[in-house]
Amino acid sequence: MAPQKTETLPIKTASDIVAARQAVRLWAAEMKFSLVDQTKIVTATSELARNTVQHGGGGHMVMSIVESGIHQGLHLVFEDKGPGIADVEAAMRDGFTTAGGMGLGLSGSKRLMSQFTIETKVGEGTRVAVTRWK
Amino acid sequence: MSKLAEIFQKHQDDIVADWSKGMSSANRRKDLISDADLKAQSTELFAAIAKASKTGSLSDIEGSDWREVREILSSISASRAKQGFTPTETASFVLSLKQPVNSRLRKEMAKDPEGLIDETTTANGLIDKMALHTSEAFLTTREQLIARQQEDMLELSTPVVKLWDGILALPVIGTLDSARTQVVMESLLKTIVETNSKIAIIDITGVPTVDTLVAQHLLKTITAARLMGAECIISGIRPQIAQTIVHLGINLNDIITKSKMADAFALALQRTGKIVVSMNKAAAPKKTEHGKDN
Amino acid sequence: MERIPILRMGSFLLVTIQVDMHDQLAMTLQDDLTSAIAKFEARGVLIDISSLEIVDSFIGRMLANIAAMSRILDAHTVLVGMQPAVAITLVELGMSLPGVRTALNVESGMELLHALSESPEETEADGAAEN
């Protein structure tokens, strides 16, 4: 089924990360996710948006409400045209970091969401799609 | 376009009128749904059927042309399931369309008996399929209802109790699956904040088995409680569970465990700066003092 | 520029984080707090995050850093008021903030700070055991 509602937000600066968090929080609350689920979704948004800014050199986030059978979900896509990730497997490991962080951005957001896919090509960019089902 | 579809287009209003008439006289559930609502639902549904039959197949309603019909059917069944209709009553709503459609066919195709039989068979098959769809949608709605009730039950099944100022206990009884553990743990953490409790005792005496996932949830909860500034004590670990935990390689080294809830409570009291004193012992020195005085 | 205020209460510093923190704001807080510890010779820092709706790995790292830096500067840090949903998420994310002391609210946090700064040697050992 086609998404019921979509919106695209630019993710270019640190203030865009805050804006993305707030937009996602609003949607998740409207969809009546529990407080814990809302917090998980917003935290994952923060991690992935920061990756887009810090590693991808900026990009955008597409948020949409999707449906599968009796379930409703919040679907987020983070896309950038940055350098891409050479070793995705390593990047998905806990503690892997190139930016001096905790290295929990990708692996942590995967644990916070129900579905997680990453497509990346060196020199072309990265696309991370996540969904949290109710 | 088949003859049936043509008749659907041409006589849409008549068929709906016949259908509504038939239904309103047979509507035994006027307590649950008004004739007006029934009429509105049938008009909407039949308009969608007429539209879908123009382009879609008449022997299969799974195609994209029939999507709108399927959606209307699902929403009708869902609302009826919630209103308290039986599956039979819900399916009868769609099946009662047979009567007006068949009589219309008979009228229009009186001169072509063979064609009439074919079209009647197609029409009945189509309506049966739609009736089946409502039954399935009805069941889905019921399943959702059950799932929601199960969730509610989960929340009720394990109460968090206050043992003393600043000390909570969570006696877990029965099998802990992931969903239940999550619900229970969330309510524990919430109660910790609400009651401002520094210590929570999780008693698992009534838990028959612990698997890796459940142990992980327990550990996560304890870590989360620690982040919030509260401490957890696990009590009542059965010997079999202790064996499983070690065999599974789960590290409980950083966790305080006590064999009995009473020991855990004593420790909790001690941590919050309280002790339990026996009345006899407390009274004993007084007696000797009295003795001296006398 | 926007800044998070740092309150001084005797030999303790009190910070209440109430806004959805911009990354830069978090970095500024880290700088301001370490300078304030040195300037006021603070013995303890209390960070109240009861109004924070999320703590991601960036803020988590900043909190862990503040605790580690203040320890080097001979001050204890106590983090208070983390919401249950935030704590659950942080654990799921993979951050358990080892080495950061916590308390349920400002009151118990203050008690803990007093206890910590009154008996420094014992608390060091205690801290090591608990972490």
Side-chain angles (χ1 to χ4, degrees), chain A residues 14-15 17-18 21-22 25 35-36 38-44 46-47 50 54 94 99-105 107-109 111-112, chain C residues 19-24 52-62 64-65 83-95 97:
Chain A
S15 8
I17 304 177
V18 179
R21 283 203 294 251
Q22 286 164 351
R25 163 79 69 183
L35 183 62
V36 173
Q38 285 180 34
T39 311
K40 286 182 179 176
I41 299 168
V42 175
T43 307
S46 189
E47 299 294 335
R50 188 173 292 105
Q54 287 185 345
D94 267 356
M102 303 284 295
L104 294 169
S107 54
S109 355
R111 280 193 294 269
L112 294 175
Chain C
V19 289
D20 186 358
M21 256 195 302
H22 197 278
D23 290 1
Q24 190 53 48
L52 264 197
E53 290 182 332
I54 71 150
V55 172
D56 60 9
S57 66
F58 188 83
I59 307 292
R61 180 159 55 108
M62 176 208 64
N65 284 352
Q83 294 299 323
V86 174
I88 292 172
T89 304
L90 208 50
V91 173
E92 201 72 43
L93 193 62
M95 283 191 105
L97 300 182

Side-chain angles (χ1 to χ4, degrees), chain B:
Chain B
M1 193 162 40
S2 78
K3 189 78 189 155
L4 180 64
E6 244 169 68
I7 290 173
F8 277 176
Q9 307 304 319
K10 220 162 118 194
H11 301 282
Q12 191 170 329
D13 295 340
D14 299 334
I15 295 176
V16 171
D18 281 354
W19 187 21
S20 306
K21 216 193 288 163
M23 269 190 299
S24 91
S25 60
N27 180 7
R28 264 167 269 135
R29 304 306 301 263
K30 290 198 203 302
D31 55 326
L32 297 179
I33 189 162
S34 70
D35 283 348
D37 284 348
L38 208 52
K39 166 112 203 217
Q41 281 182 349
S42 39
T43 312
E44 188 196 8
L45 177 59
F46 197 76
I49 295 172
K51 199 170 134 210
S53 61
K54 232 191 293 186
T55 48
S57 148
L58 291 175
S59 55
D60 177 22
I61 63 159
E62 296 307 316
S64 59
D65 292 314
W66 289 89
R67 176 187 292 171
E68 199 191 337
V69 174
R70 290 199 306 270
E71 275 169 19
I72 295 172
L73 285 172
S74 305
S75 84
I76 290 177
S77 323
S79 67
R80 297 200 172 194
K82 278 177 201 147
Q83 284 164 334
F85 281 89
T86 65
T88 309
E89 282 163 343
T90 308
S92 304
F93 165 67
V94 178
L95 290 171
S96 65
L97 179 57
K98 278 186 183 175
Q99 171 63 29
V101 167
N102 286 340
S103 63
R104 179 60 54 183
L105 279 171
R106 224 173 293 138
K107 214 178 279 174
E108 297 297 319
M109 300 182 71
K111 288 176 192 139
D112 177 11
E114 272 184 34
L116 175 63
I117 292 176
D118 285 348
E119 294 302 329
T120 310
T121 314
T122 315
N124 287 344
L126 183 65
I127 294 170
D128 286 341
K129 285 201 180 75
M130 289 193 284
L132 281 177
H133 186 86
T134 60
S135 295
E136 212 151 287
F138 190 92
L139 280 180
T140 314
T141 311
R142 277 289 164 92
E143 270 165 24
Q144 282 171 328
L145 214 69
I146 294 171
R148 200 162 325 123
Q149 284 168 346
Q150 268 174 341
E151 257 169 54
D152 293 346
M153 246 166 61
L154 277 180
E155 272 164 53
L156 294 173
S157 67
T158 311
V160 180
V161 290
K162 186 171 165 181
L163 286 183
W164 206 266
D165 262 349
I167 303 172
L168 290 180
L170 176 73
V172 190
I173 292 162
T175 309
L176 272 175
D177 58 12
S178 274
R180 185 166 175 225
T181 318
Q182 236 157 340
V183 172
V184 162
M185 295 312 167
E186 268 179 50
S187 81
L188 174 66
L189 296 181
K190 272 182 208 147
T191 319
I192 286 178
V193 176
E194 282 161 13
T195 59
N196 193 15
S197 298
K198 283 184 183 152
I199 298 189
I201 301 167
I202 304 173
D203 184 78
I204 58 169
T205 312
V207 178
T209 53
V210 170
D211 63 9
T212 321
L213 222 57
V214 171
Q216 268 169 0
H217 276 303
L218 277 173
L219 287 176
K220 280 181 188 169
T221 309
I222 293 166
T223 315
R226 207 174 264 172
L227 282 173
M228 288 165 43
E231 218 174 351
C232 291
I233 304 172
I234 299 185
S235 69
I237 300 183
R238 293 149 162 251
Q240 304 96 297
I241 292 181
Q243 288 191 15
T244 325
I245 287 173
V246 173
H247 284 312
L248 290 173
I250 299 160
N251 184 3
L252 286 187
N253 288 348
D254 299 334
I255 313 283
I256 312 166
T257 53
K258 289 280 163 199
S259 64
K260 282 186 224 70
M261 183 145 164
D263 301 332
F265 185 43
L267 177 67
L269 284 171
Q270 192 195 325
R271 289 272 171 113
T272 50
K274 295 170 186 90
I275 47 163
V276 182
V277 182
S278 150
M279 293 260 284
N280 289 334
K281 274 188 199 160
K286 270 189 189 166
K287 265 185 192 165
T288 52
E289 268 173 39
H290 275 292
K292 271 178 196 169
D293 283 348
N294 292 344

Side-chain angles (χ1 to χ4, degrees), chain A residues 4-59:
Chain A
Q4 294 179 329
K5 183 174 156 191
T6 38
E7 197 180 323
T8 306
L9 272 92
I11 308 285
K12 294 201 161 57
T13 62
S15 8
D16 290 340
I17 304 177
V18 179
R21 283 203 294 251
Q22 286 164 351
V24 169
R25 163 79 69 183
L26 205 67
W27 280 40
E30 268 174 21
M31 290 173 70
K32 302 214 163 60
F33 274 104
S34 73
L35 183 62
V36 173
D37 283 348
Q38 285 180 34
T39 311
K40 286 182 179 176
I41 299 168
V42 175
T43 307
T45 305
S46 189
E47 299 294 335
L48 295 172
R50 188 173 292 105
N51 273 352
T52 304
V53 173
Q54 287 185 345
H55 304 292

